Amino acid sequence: MSRDVQISKFMSLVLRHSPEEAGLTLDENGWVDFDDLYRAIDVRFGVAKAEVERIVAENPKKRFTLINNRIRAAQGHSVGIDLQLTPSAPPAMLYHGTKTEFLASILKEGLQSQSRQHVHLSNDIETARIVARRRKGADAILAVDSSAMSNDGIVFFLSENDVWLTDHVAPRYLKHL
Ligand code: HQG
């Protein structure tokens, strides 16, 4: 794993799950002071601030939002913060990448947010496949009838880095591709 990826993973850990690892507290909307986060990163990795800014700017998934010297994770939180996203109309179809071993349970209970605040859905099959490949085993791709969900009054949010978020996807909206 490259040093950039190690630093990015540490930032995700702190900003999504365990801010106490860096001696930090997230505000109610998930933000921390960038200088405070930078100091915690520097202690562990001995890295210049400009390098951390570059890692944020070049992050392939734009995982971090850095504005006015405050930073937060765009999505993926397990801690209870409010991203203050406004509901958005989703495209007609969305996709979810997972593993075949989870299929029976997913098709029975629907997609659950598990340890995170939301279920994460992708705009296209290619992105869903990348999500699926993060875990070992055979990939499974589910199509989500987001148009029907929307018509049924279910709310979607688009994260700052273009991941679609919703609370739960019932089995009737899912199709294994
Ligand atoms: C599965 C990454 C059994 C679900 C990605 C998934 C994403 C069920 C796992 C983001 C289930 C949860 C999130 C059910 C859901 N029964 N299994 N009823 N409902 N599952 O990591 O979507 O790289 O919390 O299919 O790109 O994999 O970190 O969610 O396999 O955007 O930025 O339970 O994480 O982003 O796993 O990934 P996760 P996810 P980053």
Side-chain angles (χ1 to χ4, degrees), residues 18-35:
S18 306
E20 66 279 3
E21 291 277 333
L24 299 176
T25 311
L26 307 185
D27 80 4
E28 59 188 347
N29 307 126
W31 298 101
V32 298
D33 184 89
F34 181 59
D35 292 327

Side-chain angles (χ1 to χ4, degrees), residues 16 61 63 75 96-99 102 105-106 109-116 120 131 134-135 163:
R16 292 172 172 178
K61 219 178 134 182
R63 289 181 176 87
Q75 36 70 230
H96 180 83
T98 187
K99 292 287 152 190
F102 301 145
S105 163
I106 290 173
E109 326 175 328
L111 283 172
Q112 313 272 13
S113 62
Q114 310 289 46
S115 63
R116 302 193 198 250
H120 289 221
V131 174
R134 291 159 44 242
R135 294 195 166 84
V163 176

Side-chain angles (χ1 to χ4, degrees), residues 94-148:
L94 287 169
Y95 301 91
H96 180 83
T98 187
K99 292 287 152 190
T100 52
E101 64 191 281
F102 301 145
L103 273 180
S105 163
I106 290 173
L107 293 172
K108 187 161 158 253
E109 326 175 328
L111 283 172
Q112 313 272 13
S113 62
Q114 310 289 46
S115 63
R116 302 193 198 250
Q117 282 193 297
H118 295 101
V119 172
H120 289 221
L121 302 171
S122 307
N123 272 304
D124 50 63
I125 294 175
E126 293 69 36
T127 310
R129 208 170 282 290
I130 293 169
V131 174
R133 284 201 198 111
R134 291 159 44 242
R135 294 195 166 84
K136 270 189 276 184
D139 299 338
I141 305 296
L142 293 160
V144 175
D145 190 347
S146 34
S147 169

Side-chain angles (χ1 to χ4, degrees), residues 26-62:
L26 307 185
D27 80 4
E28 59 188 347
N29 307 126
W31 298 101
V32 298
D33 184 89
F34 181 59
D35 292 327
D36 292 346
L37 177 64
Y38 165 66
R39 274 190 286 274
I41 295 169
D42 188 33
V43 165
R44 280 165 185 76
F45 296 94
V47 58
K49 192 169 165 191
E51 278 291 282
V52 179
E53 285 166 349
R54 178 188 59 74
I55 289 166
V56 169
E58 290 178 0
N59 189 275
K61 219 178 134 182
K62 296 188 167 50

